[in-house]
């Protein structure tokens, strides 16, 4: 039979409200990611701009990444916490890896598209360029707003999911600004013989941004998925707490820690004197648990009693 913990209702309500806010924010991001895909593709076809074409493909890939993030945020917000003893934070890291992978796919697409246009240069169609400029101006404003909104949520409530979202939309805003400047500059220099190279060469700036951000997201998510221990700063908090209580226990048998999304889990294995009553041991455990959870944000601390003498006595 599965044992479940009795929740603290105030804390659970706050966590659920934060999860619902993340779901709503990412759904809005999804709408903003999907909406410009077809108009952008149409502008690319009309203008013949490799930057616009690659940007349209990038937008489609990013929309897929945001859709996966939204599905995971929806599952986290509506999931049964009793099914996952350590929460559903790893879903957030998986979403960040998927978002980063989508960026790297866009990077590969841009490499091929830009290289082809440098080898086979062609002038841009003025009608499609003007249409593309209008779309990109709107996208820069929308992406900048969503990036700031996602950043504020991520800073208020630590979440790898929202962290990946604000990085993604910041990148989208910068990339679309590069596209906008490229189209304007290419239009102004249309009569010059070297103007045909402005479009493909400028797209390499977007390539660099995509590669850096995509790789950064994947690398940042791997330690948590592999259950890497907490950073040294938080480990020192645990060590100091153990030092403050050294007279209350006989021996330390180990400390295990991990992150799950924005949550922290710490297990401490302690051996107590054999003459202590269980109520006294529980009082010590409760004091250590409350103290550590107040010092480490969004943490769950478990102090587990062990006895080396019992282990040695076993056959």
């Amino acid at each position: 039979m599965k044992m479940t913990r009795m929740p603290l209702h105030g804390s659970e309500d706050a966590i659920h409200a934060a999860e619902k806010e993340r779901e709503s924010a990412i759904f809005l991001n999804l709408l903003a990611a999907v909406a410009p895909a077809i108009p952008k593709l149409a502008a690319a076809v009309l203008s013949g701009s490799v930057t616009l074409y690659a940007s349209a493909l990038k937008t489609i890939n990013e929309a897929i990444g945001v859709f996966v993030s939204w599905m995971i945020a929806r599952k986290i917000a509506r999931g049964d916490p009793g099914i996952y003893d350590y929460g559903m934070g790893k879903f957030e890291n998986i979403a960040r890896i998927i978002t980063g992978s989508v960026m790297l796919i866009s990077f590969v697409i841009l490499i091929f598209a830009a290289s082809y246009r440098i080898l086979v240069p062609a002038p841009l169609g003025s009608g499609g360029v003007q249409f593309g400029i209008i779309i990109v101006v709107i996208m820069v404003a929308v992406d900048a707003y969503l990036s700031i909104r996602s950043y504020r949520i991520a800073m208020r409530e630590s979440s790898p999911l929202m962290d990946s979202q604000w990085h993604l939309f910041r990148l989208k805003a910068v990339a679309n600004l590069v596209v906008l400047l490229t189209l304007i500059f290419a239009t102004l220099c249309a009569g010059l013989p070297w103007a045909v190279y402005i479009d493909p060469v400028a797209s390499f700036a977007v390539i660099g941004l995509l590669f850096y951000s995509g790789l950064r997201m994947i690398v940042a998510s791997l330690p948590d998925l592999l259950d890497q221990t907490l950073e040294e700063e938080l480990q020192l908090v645990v060590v100091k707490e153990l030092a403050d209580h050294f007279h209350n226990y006989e021996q330390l048998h180990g400390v295990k820690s991990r992150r799950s999304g924005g949550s922290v889990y710490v297990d401490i294995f302690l051996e107590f004197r054999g003459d202590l009553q269980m109520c006294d041991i529980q009082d010590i455990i409760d004091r250590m648990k409350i103290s550590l959870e107040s010092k480490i944000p969004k943490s769950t601390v478990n102090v587990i009693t062990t006895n080396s003498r019992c282990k040695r006595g076993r056959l």
Side-chain angles (χ1 to χ4, degrees):
M1 183 175 68
K2 186 174 181 65
M3 300 294 293
T4 58
R5 296 185 298 269
M6 293 297 292
L8 298 174
H9 294 293
S11 176
E12 290 292 331
D13 290 344
I15 292 172
H16 183 66
E19 290 170 348
K20 292 296 291 182
E21 183 183 29
R22 285 200 296 267
E23 181 191 358
S24 300
I26 296 176
F27 183 71
L28 180 62
N29 291 356
L30 176 61
L31 295 179
V34 171
I38 295 177
K40 226 179 191 183
L41 195 58
V45 172
L46 291 173
S47 66
S49 168
V50 66
T51 303
L52 265 179
Y53 178 69
S55 183
L57 293 180
K58 179 177 70 68
T59 299
I60 294 170
N61 284 330
E62 288 164 348
I64 295 171
V66 177
F67 175 73
V68 172
S69 296
W70 173 69
M71 290 294 291
I72 291 174
R74 185 172 182 270
K75 183 169 182 61
I76 291 172
R78 303 182 185 186
D80 180 3
I83 298 176
Y84 303 94
D85 288 333
Y86 290 96
M88 300 173 68
K90 288 196 184 300
F91 282 98
E92 298 191 36
N93 288 309
I94 292 170
R96 186 156 63 172
I97 285 180
I98 291 173
T99 305
S101 300
V102 167
M103 288 184 179
L104 293 183
I105 291 172
S106 300
F107 160 78
V108 174
I109 292 172
L110 278 168
I111 282 285
F112 282 104
S115 299
Y116 173 78
R117 186 53 69 195
I118 287 177
L119 295 173
V120 186
L124 302 180
S126 59
V129 169
Q130 293 171 2
F131 181 43
I133 288 174
I134 294 171
I135 294 171
V136 174
V137 166
I138 296 171
M139 287 190 65
V140 169
V142 171
D143 290 341
Y145 166 76
L146 293 176
S147 175
I148 294 170
R149 185 170 184 263
S150 297
Y151 173 78
R152 287 174 177 171
I153 296 173
M155 293 299 102
R156 186 168 63 249
E157 195 71 30
S158 178
S159 166
L161 200 59
M162 293 310 301
D163 182 69
S164 69
Q165 289 296 301
W166 85 261
H167 277 100
L168 173 63
F169 277 88
R170 182 185 66 175
L171 174 69
K172 280 169 62 64
V174 173
N176 282 316
L177 183 61
V178 171
V179 173
L180 176 62
L181 294 176
T182 299
L183 294 177
I184 293 173
F185 190 53
T187 301
L188 294 176
C189 302
L192 302 174
W194 50 266
V196 291
Y197 295 103
I198 295 175
D199 182 50
V201 169
S203 65
F204 281 101
V206 181
I207 290 174
L209 288 170
L210 281 170
F211 181 77
Y212 171 77
S213 296
L215 192 62
R216 178 183 175 277
M217 284 188 185
I218 293 173
V219 171
S221 297
L222 287 177
D224 287 353
L225 282 177
L226 297 174
D227 286 335
Q228 179 177 310
T229 57
L230 297 180
E231 52 269 28
E232 186 177 351
E233 180 184 354
L234 294 182
Q235 289 185 39
L236 288 175
V237 174
V238 177
V239 170
K240 185 178 184 304
E241 190 69 26
L242 289 169
D244 291 341
H245 288 270
F246 77 96
H247 57 282
N248 290 324
Y249 59 88
E250 284 284 288
Q251 191 170 347
L252 171 66
H253 288 282
V255 177
K256 292 184 178 180
S257 60
R258 61 189 287 188
R259 283 188 179 275
S260 180
S263 301
V264 174
Y265 296 89
V266 180
D267 294 334
I268 303 173
F269 300 85
L270 294 178
E271 180 179 337
F272 294 89
R273 294 199 320 267
D275 60 340
L276 285 177
Q277 294 186 1
M278 190 60 213
C279 61
D280 296 325
I281 294 175
Q282 189 61 52
D283 180 63
I284 296 169
I285 290 174
D286 290 343
R287 282 189 282 118
M288 291 182 67
K289 176 180 174 68
I290 292 170
S291 177
L292 279 172
E293 288 182 352
S294 67
K295 295 172 182 174
I296 303 176
K298 296 191 69 178
S299 65
T300 299
V301 178
N302 294 309
V303 180
I304 303 163
T305 60
T306 61
N307 194 318
S308 59
R309 290 186 292 273
C310 290
K311 291 179 181 179
R312 287 196 296 268
R314 289 176 186 168
L315 294 177

